Each structure stands twice: as C-alpha cells, then as structure tokens.
Amino acid sequence: MTIRVFRNARIHTGDPVRPPAEALAADGEEIIAVGTEAEVRAAAGVGAELVDLDGAAVIPGLYDAHIHTANYARERSQVDLRHARSLDEALAAIAAHAARLAPGAWLFGGRWNSNQWERPVQPDRHALDSVCPDRPAALPSVDGHTVWANSLALRMVGVDRTTPDPVGGQIVRDEHGEPTGILRESASYPLRDLMTAGDLVDELRAAQADLLALGLTSVHDIDGEDCRAAYLRLHDAGELKLRVHKAIPAEHLEAAVEEGRRTGEGDDWFRTGPVKLFSDGALGSHTCHMIEGFAGDEGNHGIAVTPYDELVKLVRTAAGAGIAVATHAIGDRANRLVLDAYEEAGLPPGLRFRIEHAQHVRREDITRMARLGVVASMQPVHCTSDMDLVSALLAGQDLASYAWRTMLNAGVPLAFGSDAPVEHPNPFAALHAAVTRTRPDGTPPGGWQPEQRLGVGEALRAHTLGAAYAAGEEGRKGLLTPGRLADLVAVDTDPFASDLDAIARTKVLATVVGGEIRWQRST
Ligand SMILES: [Zn+2]
C-alpha cells in the first residue's frame, strides 16, 4: 500500500475540538495520522510519498445526500434551453448544440419554457427543422409534460396526420390537421423511450469527473435500477472514483427484498441505500400536500401521492427486510403523514430513516422528527430558488420553512444535498445558501427568514458528516481523523476565514478520494 502525506495545508478536520492541522497521512484508502507536519511524517515513516498542497485550505470530501446522477449525466450532454428568452434564442442554442453532435445522432434536452419568452408562442416543428433538419430532435418542456419534436423525429416514431391521439395524450395539429411537432403527455412516450437510449455507463463516467471537480467525493443517488447497474459496471471495471450510496425506487422494493438486498451492504465504493418513497408532489405545481392549502387556489390542499395505508405497508415491508426508508415530503401534511407512517410501522434500530426535502413543516413535527431520530435530507439551494414562491403561496401559515436552525436546535440530524439536476450540483452554492439564505447575487439583503441561517461549520457538517450519518457511514466518512477514509478536498477559499459571499465562488484545487488524487485543477 502506498503511504501518502498531504502537507503544506490548512486542514479543517471537521472535528470541532481539533485545531486545523498542517498535514495528513493516508495508508492506502485510510487516514493514519493528522496533525503537525512533524507528527504526521513521523507516523508515516521515511518511505512515504509527499504531496504538497501549496498552502491550500482542506475540508472533508463533500457528500451530496440527494442527487439524481443518471438524470444529471444524461442532461449534461443535452441542450439546455431553460434560460432562453425567446424562440430565436432557443433556436440559436439548438443550432450550436447540433453542430457539436455526431452525424445522425439524436438531439435531446430542452427544458424550454415558452411562457417566459418575450413573445410566448408555442414552438413548432418547422422552426426546429430550420436549425436541425438532418437529425431527429426531441425537446421536453421545463415541466416535462410536453415534447417539441422536429419532422424527422415524428417520422421515425410514425406520427403523421392519420395518427389518432393516444389515450391520455394529444398530438397538437395545425388548421390542416398536420402534427405541429408538439406532443402532450402520453403522445410523447414513444419519443421519451428513445431519449434515454444513450449508454449510461459512458455518461456516468463523464459525469463523475464533473462531480469530483466540484469537490464531491460521495453521493446518495436517487435514480433508478439502470443507474445502479451502470455504477456496478463501473465498479467492476475499477473505474468508480466517486463513492455511491444507491437508493432503491419504490416500484423495485419487492424485487429488492426478494433478492435479499439490505441498506448498507456493499463496500466503501458502492453500498445499497434506502428505498425512496413519495408522500407528495411539489410546491410550484400546487401538488405538495398542505394542511391549509395555497393562496389564490382555495380548497386545493395538494396531493397525497402515496395513500397513507400504502405508505405504512411499504415502510413495514422495507423495515422488515433491513432496508431504510427515505420519503419525499414537501408540504406540512405530507411531512406529518410520513412521521405517522414511520411511527406506526416502527423504526428498527440501526436503520436511518429520512425525509427528503422536509421543506414546510409544523414545529411540533420537528420535535417528533428529533424524537424519532428521522434525518432531514435537505437542499439549501431549493430555499433560495423557491423563496418568492413560498412567500406568494404559503404566506400567513404557521410553518417552519427550510428550517435548518430550528431542526438543528431540536436535535434533528441534517444531511445536505443538491437534488441535481433540478439545481446545479455545486456544494459550495449550497453552503452559501445555508449560511446566508440569499441568492448568489446577495438578494434579498440580510437573507430570507435569516433566523434559520447556519454557521459555516454547521453547514459544512451537514454536507459531510451529516450525509454520512444518513447513510450509517459516520464511522468511515465526514471527518478527517485516523481510521476514516482519506476523502478530502483542497480549495482556494478557506470557508472559515473568508467572507460568506466568497464561499459561493470557491474553486476546488484537488479532490482526493481514498488517498488518491482523482481530480486536479490544471494550472
Ligand atoms: Zn430528488
């Protein structure tokens, strides 16, 4: 095994009682010493390899507790139209992207929002043909319910003027009965099947390099079984450089139980995670499940995506098989029902049960979360992205929203993540949001509901040790202390010694996973 000494650094170990260290030694994947350079070199022995970190600040490897890496991997190779302000801008982005693709390759991506275009026209295939005539193109809208296709794509899935609308879908037609290229709901499914046909192993290999470059060393992946299979292939090939805790989709729970899968099984690179359940939907679409409802949409209380009895049944099945549960809950009623279900089914000792997002919660339920030991898996950037929406839709309700401070004070374990690709996976954006409650541009001044801000150490802990705790890995990850994995990040901005706004602009210099430099900024 190679013994390496990482020296000439200011190392924040994550352990609040230790002062910053100068050096750290790893024997293979594990830390064997951390402290002054003299102490560490003595422990490492004369044959150790020295790695000079140029005086950089070092923090424990960042751990994203909620990320969709397969979706992220697929989207990174696709055109992104979220920020287009007009049809012309969208078409220009499409033309530029098409020019980079191999001949005949499909053009995917989109997330266009014609409601925010200067002139909110519905786009059609003729516009798409004008910039992308010779390859099929299929571009879902931002809410995912509509696909904008070009003429070639329609031909390839056999859609023409004679095709009837499928059940649960619509082929939008012009005044002559010809398809315009807009396919709604189930009419878009044949195209969607083609849209995920890329090789996920290749896409994940490329995506992990992006994530390492952002300082991430571990992830809880929330995507599907195809993603699990692709990671296992990378692992078998010795190409996995990012540690993965892999969730099980609800629809695959029974098969996983039959297989004997259990949360925590695996090795330090790949472990089985919790089953992912859904309690409700989302705020923007008024489908999160609320006790009181939404301003301007009286009588609507959102949607219980999984009926309560079914939720209890799923929790029992998982818990009985040694599988932890992570349930998506945004609204206060959704969060309460998850706690009810966890309590009714009984939480087996040793398994970490979680609520994903836990965005708008009643204070008495925060006390319950703490008592039950339920982890709050939260995404700080959701707060700063959605705060205007929260102010508009949930004003006047007695809610604790993105209540990191209240949660921590009550004793609820916090685990931070990004929910990428919904948000960008950069963990420093999350740390900035957590300590300021402002957007990257500093608005609103002083922060939104600033009493819920965290300190730098607390936010960093939630994005390292807290995420490790949610996976039952706190003995292996999250702190830079002997016996733990040598997963660390050298950064250009010391988060404890800089002003808070600078944290958002932090650049990673090197990412070390298991004692090896897996990514390094080129100089
Ligand atoms: Zn998610």
Side-chain angles (χ1 to χ4, degrees), residues 12 69 91 198 238 254 271 300 311 357 372 385-386 466-467 490 504:
H12 299 287
T69 56
L91 292 173
E254 268 181 46
R271 285 187 206 285
N300 180 7
L311 197 57
H357 312 308
L372 295 169
S385 291
D386 292 349

Side-chain angles (χ1 to χ4, degrees), residues 214-284:
L214 292 169
L216 291 164
T217 57
S218 286
V219 294
H220 292 198
D221 177 85
I222 310 293
D223 281 329
E225 290 291 299
D226 54 342
C227 182
R228 175 184 171 94
Y231 273 124
L232 287 172
R233 276 174 60 195
L234 283 175
H235 191 13
D236 286 347
E239 294 181 300
L240 195 55
K241 296 175 180 173
L242 185 72
R243 304 186 193 276
V244 179
H245 190 67
K246 183 70 198 77
I248 302 164
E251 59 274 18
H252 202 80
L253 176 61
E254 268 181 46
V257 170
E258 233 155 82
E259 239 177 73
R261 241 189 252 175
R262 302 173 76 87
T263 299
E265 67 174 2
D267 58 28
D268 286 327
W269 288 96
F270 184 92
R271 285 187 206 285
T272 293
V275 64
K276 167 81 185 300
L277 307 180
F278 282 89
S279 180
D280 66 350
L283 179 60

Side-chain angles (χ1 to χ4, degrees), residues 66-68 222 276 278 328 356-357 379 382 418-420 422:
H66 186 124
I67 179 167
H68 302 260
I222 310 293
K276 167 81 185 300
F278 282 89
H328 166 116
E356 303 306 301
H357 312 308
Q379 302 75 34
H382 279 334
S418 66
D419 206 9
V422 177

Side-chain angles (χ1 to χ4, degrees), residues 45-276:
V46 285
E49 186 185 307
L50 299 180
V51 180
D52 189 334
L53 292 175
D54 266 332
V58 167
I59 55 176
L62 289 149
Y63 195 155
D64 191 320
H66 186 124
I67 179 167
H68 302 260
T69 56
N71 289 347
Y72 172 75
R74 287 177 179 126
E75 282 196 9
R76 68 186 288 290
S77 61
Q78 301 175 354
V79 64
D80 182 358
L81 304 177
R82 267 175 295 182
H83 305 293
R85 292 281 153 200
S86 65
L87 176 60
D88 285 343
E89 251 183 61
L91 292 173
I94 293 163
H97 185 74
R100 292 196 298 268
L101 294 172
W106 279 75
L107 187 139
F108 294 136
R111 307 183 81 178
W112 49 276
N113 182 358
S114 55
N115 294 318
Q116 69 175 18
W117 292 351
E118 281 152 16
R119 218 163 56 82
V121 290
Q122 189 175 85
D124 63 24
R125 66 189 163 93
H126 304 294
L128 201 44
D129 290 346
S130 73
V131 290
C132 184
D134 48 2
R135 66 175 73 248
L139 307 171
S141 59
V142 70
D143 65 8
H145 293 270
T146 300
V147 168
W148 173 23
N150 70 355
S151 299
L152 189 52
L154 292 181
R155 264 206 305 286
M156 288 175 73
V157 290
V159 168
D160 62 28
R161 58 176 303 133
T162 67
T163 313
D165 284 352
V167 175
Q170 185 196 10
I171 300 166
V172 177
R173 297 162 208 268
D174 65 18
E175 64 273 27
H176 312 293
E178 293 287 344
T180 66
I182 293 294
L183 305 172
R184 296 196 196 284
E185 303 292 348
S186 70
S188 69
Y189 293 172
L191 278 169
R192 286 172 189 282
D193 290 344
L194 292 167
M195 281 155 55
T196 52
D199 183 352
L200 190 53
V201 174
D202 291 339
E203 290 169 336
L204 284 175
R205 193 188 292 109
Q208 80 173 351
D210 285 7
L211 301 177
L212 289 165
L214 292 169
L216 291 164
T217 57
S218 286
V219 294
H220 292 198
D221 177 85
I222 310 293
D223 281 329
E225 290 291 299
D226 54 342
C227 182
R228 175 184 171 94
Y231 273 124
L232 287 172
R233 276 174 60 195
L234 283 175
H235 191 13
D236 286 347
E239 294 181 300
L240 195 55
K241 296 175 180 173
L242 185 72
R243 304 186 193 276
V244 179
H245 190 67
K246 183 70 198 77
I248 302 164
E251 59 274 18
H252 202 80
L253 176 61
E254 268 181 46
V257 170
E258 233 155 82
E259 239 177 73
R261 241 189 252 175
R262 302 173 76 87
T263 299
E265 67 174 2
D267 58 28
D268 286 327
W269 288 96
F270 184 92
R271 285 187 206 285
T272 293
V275 64
K276 167 81 185 300

